[in-house]
Amino acid sequence: MSSFERLSAYQPYALAALRVITALLFIEHGTMKLFAFPAAQMEGPLPPLMLVAALLEVVGGLMVLIGLFTRPVAFILSGQMAVAYFMAHGPKAFWPALNGGDAAILFCFIFLFIFFAGAGALSIDQRKAAA
């Protein structure tokens, strides 16, 4: 058995690490909008669309973090990031590095991957499936 084949045993834990780190970073974007923490993202009251985005980022991020209803939530969050890219970043410039949309693209495709792969180890979804 090769070293790479042995690594396959850790795949569910690597997926869980990707899920947790992605969720924590995503929640941070929501807390910046809602609570100006760790820094303010916008001044003044949030427009309704930004408020919905912030709530999806915090609540959806928490659900992905603990692995609860991971697949449907990840699908919704992937769509949210696609919309965010084309509404907020795409019109600024063609290249993601120039329009600030690289994080939106990465979140979109990581959530899409999680939608197909599932929550991985250490999730409520996994515990429910085992019960």
Side-chain angles (χ1 to χ4, degrees), residues 4-13:
F4 291 120
E5 289 171 347
R6 280 182 264 167
L7 288 174
S8 294
Y10 298 101
Q11 184 271 341
Y13 298 99

Side-chain angles (χ1 to χ4, degrees), residues 90-110:
K92 294 179 185 174
F94 179 77
W95 300 107
L98 299 178
N99 68 26
D102 4 21
I105 292 170
L106 284 170
F107 278 126
C108 179
F109 281 92
I110 291 170

Side-chain angles (χ1 to χ4, degrees), residues 60-126:
L62 286 169
M63 292 178 77
V64 169
L65 177 69
I66 63 174
L68 178 63
F69 302 117
T70 308
R71 287 178 189 245
V73 171
F75 183 77
I76 291 166
L77 299 181
S78 176
Q80 177 201 357
M81 288 294 94
V83 169
Y85 181 80
F86 288 108
M87 284 184 71
H89 300 285
K92 294 179 185 174
F94 179 77
W95 300 107
L98 299 178
N99 68 26
D102 4 21
I105 292 170
L106 284 170
F107 278 126
C108 179
F109 281 92
I110 291 170
F111 285 130
L112 190 62
F113 173 75
I114 291 171
F115 168 69
F116 284 102
L122 311 172
S123 68
I124 293 175
D125 290 343
Q126 182 191 42

